[in-house]
Amino acid sequence: MLIYVETKAKPFPLTQRILSKFPWAQVLEIDHYKNIFDKNIGNQRLAPAIILATQDHIPILPVPENYGRPGKSFFFKTSLNCVFDCEYCYLKANFKTQHSVIFVNYDEIKEKIKNQILSLRTEGYQGQISFYASNYSDIQGIDMLTEFNQTFIPFFEQFDWVLMETRTKSPVINSIFSANEGKIPQNTEFSFSFNPEEIIRKYEKGTAPLSARIDAVKTLISRGYKVGLRFLPLLPVANYENLYRELLRNLISEIDFSKISSVFIASLIYNPGDFKQMQKKNPNSDLWSLVRQQDSGLVKIDQPVWEHFLQIFVEELPGVKLYFDYI
């Protein structure tokens, strides 16, 4: 195990707590995380490594049009890269290595988020403000290291009409119960990604099986937590209609949808640059035949296929409001 530590990150308590969990690890001090993380290694296989760093410029980025909930919404990041290995994941195009980066300057990140909220309220905006935390990594999948839940769940509780969403494929949820002094948070939604088991086994390597994800959702909603279901990306593989109808019928039989906070669906979609990188890194993937470049410039499934997916969900989940990530 190798841990790179930025010189600036060394004094932070979170850095010291993470290092204490790996007393046998080789620790190398570095000037800046990008000197390691942005190094182009091609197809070389690297030993597992973690990079502990700070964010110099903390971006709170507005979401694209047609993404997620209505109202004002933003992305923020506390880590980069995912511990899972989903074949379709756009992070494979964005990042040059598989190392995980954990940003340890949480107080500065929280301050930037707080300033964004206060700025909108000062401008007179009184609607909901949403913050998506998991677009650069699977937050729950590494929470045993990052202590994200312990820090950010109680932080968001201080605001009115503000919601943080985390998305995960991990069924390991113990840290959720210990966060916020054991109190059920009102301003955090824990969202779980779902696909048919056949797709999970083939394309979502290292992730939990469908049954474990269902159990995690059932446990959380039974205790009163806000839980979302995420069907993304929808993959039009062979026999996809039967696969997804079977999935949805299974979920309806297992989960009380009246207690689900939100349901999102999204198609497989890339910008052209990312798609080229994905093809370059994995030229033999059969996923690339499922998409093509559209008139909009984006690479995604064809509109009739998307409309067919939408029909499946409307028919199998009658009365359930569906949100979309990139139509």
Side-chain angles (χ1 to χ4, degrees):
M1 182 69 179
L2 178 61
I3 302 179
Y4 296 98
V5 182
E6 277 187 352
T7 301
K8 290 182 295 184
K10 285 176 62 178
F12 285 83
L14 179 57
T15 297
Q16 299 306 315
R17 288 196 295 271
I18 292 173
L19 291 177
S20 70
K21 296 175 183 179
F22 301 96
W24 63 86
Q26 180 183 6
V27 180
L28 295 179
E29 187 171 333
I30 58 176
D31 292 329
H32 199 280
Y33 79 93
K34 289 188 176 182
N35 294 338
I36 303 297
F37 190 66
D38 285 355
K39 187 175 181 181
N40 195 339
I41 62 162
N43 292 321
Q44 298 179 51
R45 291 188 176 275
L46 298 178
I50 299 172
I51 304 173
L52 305 182
T54 61
Q55 287 190 70
D56 299 324
H57 305 286
I58 301 172
I60 307 297
L61 300 174
V63 306
E65 187 178 358
N66 297 326
Y67 185 98
R69 298 175 176 81
K72 304 288 186 180
S73 300
F74 302 87
F75 299 126
F76 75 99
K77 57 188 176 186
T78 57
S79 55
L80 301 175
N81 242 335
C82 188
V83 292
F84 302 127
D85 186 24
C86 299
E87 190 168 316
Y88 51 72
C89 184
Y90 62 90
L91 296 181
K92 293 178 181 294
N94 280 258
F95 304 140
K96 294 178 180 178
T97 75
Q98 296 179 356
H99 299 332
S100 292
V101 179
I102 299 171
F103 296 114
V104 297
N105 54 329
Y106 280 178
D107 286 343
E108 293 174 356
I109 297 171
K110 290 190 293 182
E111 188 66 20
K112 196 70 179 286
I113 293 170
K114 183 177 181 179
N115 289 341
Q116 180 66 70
I117 295 169
L118 295 178
S119 176
L120 287 172
R121 297 306 189 213
T122 300
E123 293 169 3
Y125 177 74
Q126 298 302 317
Q128 179 169 290
I129 307 173
S130 301
F131 289 89
Y132 297 96
S134 303
N135 286 69
Y136 303 92
S137 63
D138 190 307
I139 294 295
Q140 193 61 35
I142 58 172
D143 193 57
M144 73 293 294
L145 292 181
T146 64
E147 304 174 15
F148 176 92
N149 287 335
Q150 297 287 346
T151 303
F152 284 90
I153 290 176
F155 164 73
F156 275 98
E157 287 298 284
Q158 67 183 291
F159 304 107
D160 295 324
W161 290 99
V162 170
L163 181 72
M164 175 180 70
E165 178 191 305
T166 65
R167 296 183 181 181
T168 187
K169 294 181 174 73
S170 174
V172 183
I173 56 177
N174 290 342
S175 66
I176 293 174
F177 302 131
S178 60
N180 200 39
E181 298 180 342
K183 301 173 185 176
I184 298 173
Q186 301 303 306
N187 290 354
T188 298
E189 180 175 307
F190 306 94
S191 300
F192 289 80
S193 296
F194 285 96
N195 256 317
E197 185 65 50
E198 181 176 313
I199 288 177
I200 291 174
R201 288 197 302 267
K202 185 172 183 180
Y203 298 111
E204 298 182 354
K205 297 179 180 65
T207 68
L210 177 62
S211 59
R213 303 183 200 186
I214 292 174
D215 287 344
V217 168
K218 290 167 66 175
T219 299
L220 284 168
I221 62 175
S222 71
R223 299 193 186 189
Y225 287 81
K226 289 184 178 179
V227 178
L229 305 185
R230 303 294 177 258
F231 300 91
L232 45 95
L234 301 171
L235 299 179
V237 298
N239 196 36
Y240 74 87
E241 178 172 358
N242 289 334
L243 290 175
Y244 279 93
R245 287 190 186 276
E246 181 182 356
L247 168 66
L248 295 176
R249 291 169 187 173
N250 182 20
L251 292 177
I252 289 174
S253 70
E254 292 273 3
I255 296 172
D256 183 352
F257 269 67
S258 69
K259 296 181 179 179
I260 295 299
S261 296
S262 65
V263 178
F264 281 64
I265 66 174
S267 68
L268 189 63
I269 184 170
Y270 304 101
N271 66 54
D274 284 352
F275 186 62
K276 288 180 181 178
Q277 288 297 319
M278 300 285 284
Q279 289 177 302
K280 184 177 179 180
K281 290 187 175 183
N282 187 6
N284 298 318
S285 175
D286 56 8
L287 290 176
W288 313 146
S289 65
L290 305 180
V291 295
R292 66 183 182 89
Q293 189 160 348
Q294 307 293 325
D295 293 340
S296 64
L298 294 173
V299 178
K300 59 180 182 177
I301 63 176
D302 287 333
Q303 187 65 21
V305 179
W306 163 254
E307 291 174 358
H308 189 209
F309 267 120
L310 184 57
Q311 177 187 353
I312 293 169
F313 275 78
V314 169
E315 290 176 356
E316 297 296 340
L317 301 178
V320 174
K321 179 174 178 55
L322 300 174
Y323 293 93
F324 308 114
D325 285 359
Y326 292 119
I327 297 175

